[in-house]
Amino acid sequence: MSPAPTLPESLDLSHHVNKRIRTVQPSAMKAMGALLQNKNLLSLGGGTPHPSLFPMSHTTFTLPTLQSLDGDVDDWKEGTAPTEEIHLKKTGPGTELDEGGVLDLSVILQYGLSNGYRELVDKLEEINLLLHGKTISDASVYVTLGNTDGVSKVFQLLVEPDVDTVLTEGYSFSSSLNSARAKGAKVYPVRIDEHGLDPVDFEHVLSSWDETTQGRKPHILYTIPCGQNPTGTIQPQERYDAIYAVAQKHDVIIVEDDPYFPLQFTSYEPDITKRAEQLKEARAKMPPPPSKAEQDDPAAIAKVFNEYAAVKSYLSRDVDGRVIRIDTFSKVFGPGVRLGWVSANSLFVERLLRIGETSTQIPNGFSQAVLASYLSDKHWGIGGFIRWMWGVRLEYQAKRDFFLDKFREFVPSDLVSTTPCGAGMFQWLKVEVTKHPRFRRTPLPIGGGPVDLGSDTVENDTTVTPPGLETKTESTEYTTNTSELVDELWSFLLEQHTVLVLPAKAFLVSKPGVDRSADLNFFRATFAGDHEGIDKALAAFGKGIKAWFARG
């Protein structure tokens, strides 16, 4: 048997950490944490409450059994799936795992280390290894209080306030961008098309950056590459490679925010019979679940999971340590658990620990205990958790397909179009506002510049090509009344047909001095609801679209 290959250590990327975070020193109290947990010491150094005064001695959680994780979640949804229980008990200090493979309540309710419980961290590292591999020797994990906390802390780590510009897709998740802005960053768009972030434009933005007029050259790319929010795009693997190569060339850190990575789909099949056959074939590829997690083969399960849609992450190709990956349990377990993890090189993780020590402290103990218990071999194990994610993926794919079926049934394709998303929870709907009788396109004065359209100052960027929108080739710069019309349509749909969709303006990333009014003719719609709700909403949406265009 040949020895395992020696992995490279990550590059010295400390120059990407902002000056304020570089100077933060480890907490003396937190540094004492390991000593305080040493039961051989007669310690008078702590200040932790005594476990006997915790007013809870036992709590129970119910979960579907490992044997039921066959990729079909209908029984669980209907309340008929076989279940088992996790018992969290206060058994007294000294033992962190009881016979049921769960954390002791005496530990859960106590202060802990900022990086979370070791039992959970070990499982997260194993999940990373199975889903992404390991490409650097100092790969590390930091437990967060969910996706937003991870994004916020990463921007705090990297952004030099009032100096840095963060690059991102031309449409992106506004909450994350607001987090960057709150840390003192400016945000600048890179073109996105039906295949995700454009590496050619990424290279162009970096190579043509003028520091005398635009400020410091960007060293941070924030991207949602798989099931991009809001457009639903999924990047071909060659784009991942090309974008990573550009990041290497220009020394850029890739912040890979990937909450929808588990929800990758195969292509949409409009024939319902063929679709059912494909789903049956997909389920048949997964090894049947065993009676106990110790008998499972996580590597074989991960292989099926990884090959189903075959998207490989930036983390899986990161040989420099320049990828900071953000994962969450929100989409496959529940947002309220408020738990996720950041994967990065050891330097960045150590600095994130320092940030945590001065802000959120230890992640929620109950959430960590529950997730560690699910991942324990006493219950699901790592293999069982991947099986569950696979079942959730197939369920959301079925929801997407149902959405597209109903979209084709109710919505006139000549007025609104969409491209089937490759992952996530969203469809990006293009409204053909140019067909509206009141649509106007007005040439800009020579020199262009921002144009005031009512309450919105928008910009013109003919380089952005979201799904379903062909690249513009006109040389004449112009502005349109798209923003006004889409605002009117949004209100009409909401007030007259009780349908809520999110307009593109909620996600558009502006570019200084450029009018992008023509790029506001999109809505984001989710298919995360139940079939009845999707059916009614799309019927009303289609009716509203017809009525709005007809009234002129």
Side-chain angles (χ1 to χ4, degrees):
M1 184 176 179
S2 59
T6 302
L7 297 175
E9 188 171 333
S10 59
L11 301 178
D12 180 3
L13 298 169
S14 57
H15 55 285
H16 288 282
V17 178
N18 76 60
K19 294 178 182 177
R20 185 179 301 173
I21 299 302
R22 279 186 234 168
T23 62
V24 176
Q25 298 299 311
S27 165
M29 290 298 296
K30 295 299 179 182
M32 297 286 287
L35 292 176
L36 294 174
Q37 294 177 13
N38 187 338
K39 305 307 176 183
N40 295 321
L41 296 179
L42 301 174
S43 174
L44 298 175
T48 57
H50 198 276
S52 65
L53 300 178
F54 296 159
M56 182 180 293
S57 62
H58 183 269
T59 186
T60 300
F61 297 87
T62 302
L63 66 156
T65 63
L66 172 61
Q67 296 88 348
S68 70
L69 304 183
D70 59 359
D72 188 342
V73 298
D74 283 344
D75 287 349
W76 176 251
K77 288 163 55 183
E78 295 166 5
T80 59
T83 62
E84 60 179 313
E85 293 182 341
I86 292 173
H87 302 283
L88 304 182
K89 296 176 287 186
K90 189 169 73 173
T91 60
T95 304
E96 293 198 358
L97 286 171
D98 70 8
E99 292 181 356
V102 299
L103 286 164
D104 180 359
L105 274 176
S106 300
V107 177
I108 295 166
L109 297 176
Q110 191 55 275
Y111 292 121
L113 301 178
S114 296
N115 195 30
Y117 295 123
R118 188 69 246 175
E119 289 79 10
L120 178 60
V121 173
D122 288 345
K123 297 299 184 182
L124 297 178
E125 290 177 343
E126 187 176 347
I127 290 173
N128 275 358
L129 184 62
L130 289 169
L131 299 186
H132 310 289
K134 188 173 182 178
T135 56
I136 57 172
S137 60
D138 59 328
S140 299
V141 165
Y142 173 75
V143 181
T144 68
L145 281 74
N147 183 271
T148 301
D149 179 54
V151 169
S152 176
K153 285 176 177 171
V154 168
F155 283 139
Q156 187 175 350
L157 172 80
L158 299 176
V159 170
E160 201 69 62
D162 304 318
V163 173
D164 279 324
T165 296
V166 173
L167 301 181
T168 192
E169 288 96 345
Y171 302 91
S172 190
F173 185 51
S174 55
S175 294
S176 294
L177 301 187
N178 287 339
S179 179
R181 295 182 181 108
K183 303 300 184 292
K186 297 182 286 292
V187 181
Y188 193 90
V190 177
R191 181 171 61 224
I192 183 174
D193 62 18
E194 67 272 20
H195 302 299
L197 192 75
D198 182 354
V200 175
D201 194 54
F202 183 39
E203 163 65 33
H204 173 72
V205 169
L206 289 166
S207 61
S208 63
W209 194 266
D210 185 351
E211 292 192 331
T212 61
T213 59
Q214 295 178 280
R216 186 162 82 174
K217 182 178 177 180
H219 69 106
I220 306 164
L221 170 66
Y222 170 79
T223 179
I224 309 171
C226 184
Q228 202 271 340
N229 189 359
T231 66
T233 57
I234 193 165
Q235 291 181 173
Q237 291 306 286
E238 56 269 21
R239 282 213 174 179
Y240 277 88
D241 294 334
I243 291 166
Y244 187 82
V246 173
Q248 287 182 305
K249 176 182 176 181
H250 293 275
D251 191 21
V252 171
I253 299 299
I254 298 175
V255 180
E256 182 179 28
D257 186 6
D258 219 1
Y260 305 108
F261 181 83
L263 307 182
Q264 303 170 29
F265 312 138
T266 54
S267 59
Y268 169 63
E269 170 54 65
D271 186 307
I272 296 177
T273 302
K274 289 183 179 178
R275 212 156 67 203
E277 293 174 354
Q278 291 173 353
L279 184 61
K280 183 178 179 180
E281 291 173 2
R283 288 187 174 131
K285 292 180 180 179
M286 185 66 74
S291 58
K292 296 181 179 180
E294 296 97 325
Q295 303 166 346
D296 218 347
D297 185 352
I301 296 163
K303 185 175 185 295
V304 174
F305 184 87
N306 291 335
E307 291 177 352
Y308 182 70
V311 174
K312 295 179 64 178
S313 63
Y314 283 114
L315 188 69
S316 71
R317 49 193 21 104
D318 182 27
V319 294
D320 295 345
R322 68 176 61 258
V323 173
I324 302 179
R325 180 178 171 82
I326 302 171
D327 281 288
T328 179
F329 287 102
S330 295
K331 306 303 184 289
V332 294
F333 194 93
V337 76
R338 302 315 308 145
L339 209 67
W341 69 102
V342 172
S343 307
N345 67 62
S346 58
L347 165 71
F348 288 166
V349 166
E350 188 273 337
R351 290 289 92 186
L352 289 170
L353 276 168
R354 303 290 81 82
I355 293 172
E357 288 174 355
T358 60
S359 57
T360 53
Q361 296 287 338
I362 182 175
N364 182 278
F366 272 110
S367 294
Q368 290 193 75
V370 171
L371 266 300
S373 302
Y374 272 72
L375 297 171
S376 164
D377 280 346
K378 297 294 183 181
H379 296 286
W380 281 2
I382 297 295
F385 183 70
I386 297 175
R387 290 176 185 277
W388 172 255
M389 291 196 298
W390 179 64
V392 172
R393 168 191 288 180
L394 297 180
E395 177 70 9
Y396 275 109
Q397 178 171 311
K399 288 177 179 290
R400 179 208 62 178
D401 293 346
F402 182 82
F403 179 101
L404 293 170
D405 291 343
K406 293 301 176 179
F407 184 88
R408 295 173 67 199
E409 178 181 348
F410 294 125
V411 182
S413 59
D414 60 325
L415 301 180
V416 182
S417 60
T418 191
T419 300
C421 75
M425 297 178 173
F426 308 115
Q427 280 295 139
W428 192 231
L429 312 181
K430 179 189 175 186
V431 181
E432 300 292 349
V433 292
T434 59
K435 295 184 178 181
H436 194 276
R438 287 188 281 113
F439 174 77
R440 296 291 180 269
R441 178 183 300 181
T442 306
L444 286 168
I446 295 175
V451 175
D452 186 6
L453 295 180
S455 61
D456 301 306
T457 298
V458 294
E459 302 167 350
N460 176 42
D461 178 5
T462 60
T463 62
V464 176
T465 314
L469 180 65
E470 295 180 356
T471 303
K472 305 180 185 73
T473 57
E474 298 99 311
S475 59
T476 302
E477 292 186 345
Y478 59 88
T479 187
T480 73
N481 62 341
T482 300
S483 179
E484 176 186 340
L485 290 175
V486 171
D487 283 351
E488 179 187 304
L489 173 57
W490 180 85
S491 296
F492 181 79
L493 290 170
L494 183 64
E495 295 168 5
Q496 302 298 319
H497 296 271
T498 64
V499 179
L500 175 63
V501 285
L502 294 186
K505 68 189 319 178
F507 308 97
L508 191 77
V509 182
S510 62
K511 183 182 292 186
V514 180
D515 186 303
R516 292 191 60 192
S517 61
D519 298 322
L520 292 171
N521 59 319
F522 292 89
F523 290 127
R524 191 195 76 174
T526 183
F527 48 83
D530 56 48
H531 283 194
E532 181 181 3
I534 293 171
D535 190 321
K536 289 181 178 179
L538 283 176
F541 178 81
K543 184 178 180 180
I545 289 291
K546 294 173 186 176
W548 183 75
F549 272 89
R551 77 175 191 171

